Short mmCIF file of all heavy atoms in Angstrom, two decimals:
data_model
loop_
_atom_site.label_atom_id
_atom_site.label_comp_id
_atom_site.label_asym_id
_atom_site.label_seq_id
_atom_site.Cartn_x
_atom_site.Cartn_y
_atom_site.Cartn_z
N THR A 1 62.34 298.14 188.83
CA THR A 1 61.45 297.49 189.81
C THR A 1 61.11 296.09 189.39
O THR A 1 60.62 295.89 188.31
CB THR A 1 60.17 298.32 190.05
OG1 THR A 1 60.50 299.57 190.60
CG2 THR A 1 59.25 297.59 191.00
N ALA A 2 61.43 295.12 190.25
CA ALA A 2 61.19 293.71 189.92
C ALA A 2 61.61 292.86 191.10
O ALA A 2 62.21 293.32 192.06
CB ALA A 2 62.04 293.30 188.70
N VAL A 3 61.27 291.56 191.00
CA VAL A 3 61.85 290.58 191.93
C VAL A 3 63.13 290.12 191.29
O VAL A 3 63.19 289.73 190.13
CB VAL A 3 60.92 289.40 192.11
CG1 VAL A 3 61.56 288.35 193.00
CG2 VAL A 3 59.60 289.84 192.79
N TYR A 4 64.21 290.25 192.07
CA TYR A 4 65.51 289.84 191.58
C TYR A 4 65.85 288.44 192.03
O TYR A 4 65.81 288.17 193.26
CB TYR A 4 66.58 290.82 192.03
CG TYR A 4 66.55 292.14 191.20
CD1 TYR A 4 65.47 293.02 191.32
CD2 TYR A 4 67.57 292.39 190.29
CE1 TYR A 4 65.44 294.16 190.54
CE2 TYR A 4 67.53 293.55 189.52
CZ TYR A 4 66.47 294.44 189.62
OH TYR A 4 66.40 295.56 188.87
N TYR A 5 66.23 287.57 191.12
CA TYR A 5 66.52 286.14 191.43
C TYR A 5 68.01 285.85 191.17
O TYR A 5 68.55 286.30 190.16
CB TYR A 5 65.69 285.23 190.56
CG TYR A 5 64.18 285.31 190.79
CD1 TYR A 5 63.38 286.11 190.01
CD2 TYR A 5 63.60 284.54 191.78
CE1 TYR A 5 62.01 286.21 190.26
CE2 TYR A 5 62.24 284.55 191.99
CZ TYR A 5 61.44 285.39 191.21
OH TYR A 5 60.09 285.45 191.43
N CYS A 6 68.57 285.10 192.05
CA CYS A 6 69.88 284.53 191.88
C CYS A 6 69.74 283.13 191.33
O CYS A 6 68.84 282.38 191.75
CB CYS A 6 70.66 284.56 193.20
SG CYS A 6 72.29 283.86 193.16
N ALA A 7 70.61 282.70 190.42
CA ALA A 7 70.53 281.40 189.85
C ALA A 7 71.92 280.82 189.56
O ALA A 7 72.87 281.57 189.37
CB ALA A 7 69.72 281.39 188.57
N SER A 8 71.99 279.51 189.57
CA SER A 8 73.26 278.79 189.31
C SER A 8 73.22 278.06 187.99
O SER A 8 72.20 277.42 187.67
CB SER A 8 73.50 277.79 190.49
OG SER A 8 74.52 276.91 190.21
N THR A 9 74.33 278.09 187.26
CA THR A 9 74.44 277.39 186.02
C THR A 9 75.70 276.61 185.96
O THR A 9 76.77 277.11 186.38
CB THR A 9 74.31 278.32 184.80
OG1 THR A 9 74.44 277.55 183.62
CG2 THR A 9 75.42 279.40 184.85
N PRO A 10 75.68 275.40 185.41
CA PRO A 10 76.92 274.62 185.17
C PRO A 10 77.61 274.93 183.85
O PRO A 10 78.63 274.39 183.54
CB PRO A 10 76.46 273.18 185.18
CG PRO A 10 75.08 273.24 184.57
CD PRO A 10 74.48 274.57 185.07
N TYR A 11 77.03 275.83 183.08
CA TYR A 11 77.53 276.13 181.78
C TYR A 11 78.41 277.40 181.73
O TYR A 11 78.22 278.33 182.50
CB TYR A 11 76.39 276.30 180.76
CG TYR A 11 75.54 275.05 180.63
CD1 TYR A 11 74.26 274.98 181.22
CD2 TYR A 11 76.01 273.98 179.90
CE1 TYR A 11 73.48 273.82 181.06
CE2 TYR A 11 75.25 272.84 179.78
CZ TYR A 11 74.01 272.76 180.38
OH TYR A 11 73.25 271.65 180.24
N GLY A 12 79.33 277.42 180.78
CA GLY A 12 80.23 278.52 180.65
C GLY A 12 79.90 279.50 179.54
O GLY A 12 80.71 280.36 179.24
N SER A 13 78.76 279.33 178.96
CA SER A 13 78.37 280.22 177.82
C SER A 13 76.87 280.40 177.87
O SER A 13 76.13 279.66 178.56
CB SER A 13 78.82 279.61 176.51
OG SER A 13 78.21 278.42 176.24
N ARG A 14 76.36 281.35 177.11
CA ARG A 14 74.95 281.66 176.94
C ARG A 14 74.30 281.92 178.29
O ARG A 14 73.20 281.41 178.57
CB ARG A 14 74.25 280.57 176.15
CG ARG A 14 74.82 280.36 174.78
CD ARG A 14 73.81 279.88 173.79
NE ARG A 14 73.38 278.51 174.07
CZ ARG A 14 72.41 277.88 173.45
NH1 ARG A 14 71.80 278.47 172.44
NH2 ARG A 14 72.08 276.63 173.82
N TRP A 15 74.92 282.68 179.11
CA TRP A 15 74.41 282.97 180.44
C TRP A 15 73.10 283.78 180.47
O TRP A 15 72.41 283.78 181.45
CB TRP A 15 75.45 283.73 181.27
CG TRP A 15 76.67 282.92 181.63
CD1 TRP A 15 76.77 281.54 181.61
CD2 TRP A 15 77.94 283.35 182.11
NE1 TRP A 15 78.03 281.13 182.02
CE2 TRP A 15 78.74 282.27 182.33
CE3 TRP A 15 78.47 284.64 182.35
CZ2 TRP A 15 80.07 282.34 182.82
CZ3 TRP A 15 79.77 284.78 182.80
CH2 TRP A 15 80.56 283.60 183.04
N TYR A 16 72.82 284.38 179.33
CA TYR A 16 71.60 285.15 179.20
C TYR A 16 70.35 284.24 179.12
O TYR A 16 69.22 284.72 179.26
CB TYR A 16 71.65 286.02 177.94
CG TYR A 16 72.00 285.23 176.68
CD1 TYR A 16 71.02 284.55 175.98
CD2 TYR A 16 73.32 285.16 176.24
CE1 TYR A 16 71.35 283.79 174.84
CE2 TYR A 16 73.63 284.45 175.09
CZ TYR A 16 72.66 283.77 174.41
OH TYR A 16 72.98 283.03 173.30
N ASP A 17 70.54 282.96 178.87
CA ASP A 17 69.45 282.03 178.70
C ASP A 17 69.07 281.44 180.05
O ASP A 17 69.80 280.68 180.66
CB ASP A 17 69.92 280.91 177.73
CG ASP A 17 68.81 279.93 177.38
OD1 ASP A 17 67.69 280.02 177.96
OD2 ASP A 17 69.06 279.05 176.55
N PRO A 18 67.86 281.73 180.55
CA PRO A 18 67.45 281.19 181.87
C PRO A 18 67.35 279.70 181.90
O PRO A 18 67.42 279.08 182.98
CB PRO A 18 66.09 281.87 182.08
CG PRO A 18 65.59 282.21 180.71
CD PRO A 18 66.81 282.60 179.95
N HIS A 19 67.14 279.04 180.73
CA HIS A 19 67.07 277.60 180.72
C HIS A 19 68.40 276.91 181.00
O HIS A 19 68.43 275.72 181.20
CB HIS A 19 66.56 277.12 179.37
CG HIS A 19 65.13 277.59 179.09
ND1 HIS A 19 64.84 278.60 178.20
CD2 HIS A 19 63.95 277.17 179.60
CE1 HIS A 19 63.54 278.78 178.20
NE2 HIS A 19 62.97 277.92 179.03
N LYS A 20 69.45 277.65 181.01
CA LYS A 20 70.79 277.09 181.35
C LYS A 20 71.04 276.99 182.82
O LYS A 20 72.03 276.43 183.27
CB LYS A 20 71.89 277.97 180.69
CG LYS A 20 71.87 278.05 179.16
CD LYS A 20 72.16 276.67 178.57
CE LYS A 20 72.15 276.74 177.04
NZ LYS A 20 72.35 275.40 176.43
N TYR A 21 70.14 277.58 183.59
CA TYR A 21 70.27 277.62 185.03
C TYR A 21 69.49 276.49 185.73
O TYR A 21 68.30 276.32 185.39
CB TYR A 21 69.87 278.97 185.61
CG TYR A 21 70.79 280.06 185.13
CD1 TYR A 21 70.74 280.61 183.89
CD2 TYR A 21 71.80 280.55 186.04
CE1 TYR A 21 71.63 281.58 183.45
CE2 TYR A 21 72.67 281.53 185.61
CZ TYR A 21 72.56 282.05 184.35
OH TYR A 21 73.47 283.02 183.90
N ASP A 22 70.11 275.77 186.64
CA ASP A 22 69.48 274.60 187.23
C ASP A 22 68.94 274.86 188.65
O ASP A 22 68.07 274.09 189.11
CB ASP A 22 70.37 273.39 187.21
CG ASP A 22 71.80 273.71 187.77
OD1 ASP A 22 72.04 274.83 188.21
OD2 ASP A 22 72.65 272.78 187.68
N TYR A 23 69.45 275.85 189.32
CA TYR A 23 68.95 276.16 190.67
C TYR A 23 68.65 277.66 190.77
O TYR A 23 69.41 278.46 190.23
CB TYR A 23 69.98 275.76 191.74
CG TYR A 23 70.26 274.25 191.78
CD1 TYR A 23 71.36 273.76 191.18
CD2 TYR A 23 69.32 273.42 192.39
CE1 TYR A 23 71.64 272.37 191.21
CE2 TYR A 23 69.56 272.02 192.38
CZ TYR A 23 70.70 271.55 191.78
OH TYR A 23 70.96 270.16 191.79
N TRP A 24 67.61 277.97 191.51
CA TRP A 24 67.15 279.31 191.65
C TRP A 24 66.86 279.65 193.10
O TRP A 24 66.40 278.81 193.86
CB TRP A 24 65.84 279.57 190.85
CG TRP A 24 66.07 279.46 189.35
CD1 TRP A 24 66.15 278.31 188.61
CD2 TRP A 24 66.22 280.57 188.43
NE1 TRP A 24 66.36 278.64 187.28
CE2 TRP A 24 66.39 279.95 187.16
CE3 TRP A 24 66.20 281.93 188.56
CZ2 TRP A 24 66.55 280.76 186.01
CZ3 TRP A 24 66.35 282.74 187.45
CH2 TRP A 24 66.53 282.13 186.18
#
């Protein structure tokens, strides 16, 4: 149970890091 967010990243690694995502 949670709010599920989609996000976009320009990076090809460390996808687990939310700071790598620029749009939500």
Side-chain angles (χ1 to χ4, degrees):
T1 295
V3 176
Y4 283 71
Y5 295 93
C6 179
S8 169
T9 179
Y11 299 105
S13 63
R14 303 208 292 175
W15 290 344
Y16 53 83
D17 185 355
H19 295 105
K20 297 296 183 182
Y21 293 78
D22 49 5
Y23 298 102
W24 295 79

